[in-house]
Amino acid sequence: MKQSGKGRELSLIIDNLNSEGQGVARSGRDVYFVPGALVGEKVRVRMLERSKKIWHTQLLGIEGNESEARRTPDCPHYQRCGGCDLQHMQYDAQVLFKQSRVEREFGRQKVPVDSWAAPLTSEEWHYRRKARLGVRFSKEQQKNFIGFREAASSHLTDIDRCIVLPDHPALGWSEWRQVINSLEAASLITQIEPLLADSALVFILRALKPLSGNDHQVLIQTFERWQAGSDLPLQLWVRTEKHASPVALWPDNPDEIWHEVDGLKLRIQADDFIQVNRSINQSMVAQALKWLEPAENEQIWDLFAGHGNFSMPLAKRCKQVIAVEGQQAMTDSLQAQAEKLALSLQTKCADLSASGTLESLPEPDAVLLDPPRAGADTVMTELIRRKVGRILYVSCDPATLARDLAQLVPAGYEVIKAGIMDMFPQTHHVETMVLLKYRGK
């Protein structure tokens, strides 16, 4: 039940941060979440609403001294755009917050960690090689807005440039607005998805209906102009059906899209999932190989394998990799690439959220898993039954990771080491890697 508190103002002292990096304050029996506030600050807030015994508030100002961790955000859109939520925090403080967030989740689930590795970090700006920007046409103003959604809102923040995306002329959204506004289908464009692969800068344009020949020409001429000033090849794809694959518009026969991992050129589709931070991904894969120590005579499972970010490097080093993934297109592509490179890799398309999926697979010497935010709750039962010698768990959600580890630890697994990876600077999101070994009960 939500209770309105709009219009009421009060002063609070921030004593902690929640899992999303929002300031936490307490007054009497009430708890308050204050986006943009930092620990130790006295802040003035406006009450918004109460939900699940938490008051959500708007930061009006800081009364007294600012936290030493505070800085002025570099992005002019930060106060409205929902893409980033920690730009007001010094980068070193962001990393410390993420480390403490993961440790707090482990503590809640009573998962002991004796050895924490140093966090993997890289450049805090211009790191994001894949994104999805919304496009909204205003009937009143007869023009489009391009940007990310505002925090806790369906409204778009109209942006000119995003400083966590790469610095490239084709990623200037003010010019994109001009181009889209000139189309006959100006009101039918809903999304732009840029992907900076190692082979090309790729765009997917989402439209509600097929584009006209005139619109095709406008877009092609725009990309030809951009290409003339770019050393990196550009590609434009268009998707007009929600679940259909995008179709290449320019050039006519685009080259394969690939990105490099561990010296391998991994082929991907324009709309494939890919780790958004190239530098951290390279470091993450290298650390995974170092921690797991795959041997030439071993058989290793890679669960939630995707397009082979871990599978292919593992297959260079062990007897066989069994890569399990839920999308048939990805398993087909991964199998074809492995055969082309003469790597010993077997794929299996399966729903890893369903029980019994892994029962028919041969015994693994080690398992690597990299599930989505929901975690791998169902997989834990099979790993406990198998008593696997080594498990490397890569997670994008500390809460579900800690929940899953809380099943493994009582079953005889020991956390050997753990560490965070800052895949998403300027946001509260954090990746974590954990190595476990089976010691027996």
Side-chain angles (χ1 to χ4, degrees), residues 154-287:
S154 60
H155 296 293
L156 291 181
T157 299
D158 205 27
I159 66 175
D160 295 329
R161 190 166 292 275
C162 175
I163 58 177
V164 300
L165 291 176
D167 190 12
H168 190 281
L171 293 168
W173 306 114
S174 57
E175 187 168 2
W176 266 99
R177 272 193 297 276
Q178 295 174 18
V179 173
I180 293 177
N181 287 335
S182 71
L183 300 178
E184 295 172 0
S187 63
L188 303 177
I189 308 299
T190 60
Q191 289 177 350
I192 305 171
E193 295 183 45
L195 163 63
L196 179 61
D198 289 340
S199 60
L201 176 55
V202 182
F203 292 86
I204 299 177
L205 200 63
R206 172 82 168 94
L208 297 177
K209 294 181 180 179
L211 303 181
S212 68
N214 289 338
D215 284 352
H216 281 183
Q217 284 304 117
V218 170
L219 291 167
I220 289 170
Q221 290 170 7
T222 299
F223 269 74
E224 288 176 340
R225 175 165 51 82
W226 283 341
Q227 185 64 80
S230 173
D231 294 331
L232 187 68
L234 304 181
Q235 295 184 16
L236 175 62
W237 299 63
V238 177
R239 188 203 305 271
T240 55
E241 298 291 338
K242 187 173 183 180
H243 299 293
S245 297
V247 176
L249 177 60
W250 188 88
D252 290 333
N253 297 298
D255 293 334
E256 286 186 348
I257 306 168
W258 54 265
H259 75 113
E260 186 172 317
V261 178
D262 190 43
L264 298 167
K265 293 181 179 180
L266 302 188
R267 186 174 69 248
I268 55 176
Q269 301 302 314
D271 56 347
D272 275 354
F273 168 81
I274 184 176
Q275 294 288 0
V276 302
N277 191 319
R278 184 185 189 278
S279 177
I280 293 296
N281 187 59
Q282 299 281 1
S283 299
M284 178 177 71
V285 171
Q287 180 171 279

Side-chain angles (χ1 to χ4, degrees), residues 88 150 154 183 240 267 270 292 308 352 366 436:
H88 62 283
E150 297 176 9
S154 60
L183 300 178
T240 55
R267 186 174 69 248
L292 196 59
L352 286 167
L436 304 102

Side-chain angles (χ1 to χ4, degrees), residues 307-324:
H307 65 273
N309 194 48
F310 292 108
S311 302
M312 301 289 272
L314 285 171
K316 289 171 58 177
R317 294 165 171 82
C318 67
K319 182 179 179 180
Q320 185 182 46
V321 170
I322 299 178
V324 185

Side-chain angles (χ1 to χ4, degrees), residues 95-114:
V95 177
L96 288 174
F97 154 69
K98 295 178 185 186
Q99 178 75 43
S100 65
R101 178 188 171 197
V102 175
E103 291 183 16
R104 185 169 61 219
E105 294 292 350
F106 281 30
R108 286 173 177 167
Q109 296 287 356
K110 296 180 172 57
V111 175
V113 179
D114 293 331

Side-chain angles (χ1 to χ4, degrees), residues 1-10 30 32 46-58:
M1 180 178 179
K2 296 182 179 180
Q3 301 176 18
S4 176
K6 290 183 178 180
R8 178 183 162 201
E9 296 182 11
L10 74 162
D30 289 327
Y32 302 83
R46 176 179 292 121
M47 311 301 294
L48 297 179
E49 61 181 15
R50 190 180 187 189
S51 176
K52 296 181 180 179
K53 300 181 180 180
I54 304 291
W55 280 104
H56 296 272
T57 70
Q58 177 188 3

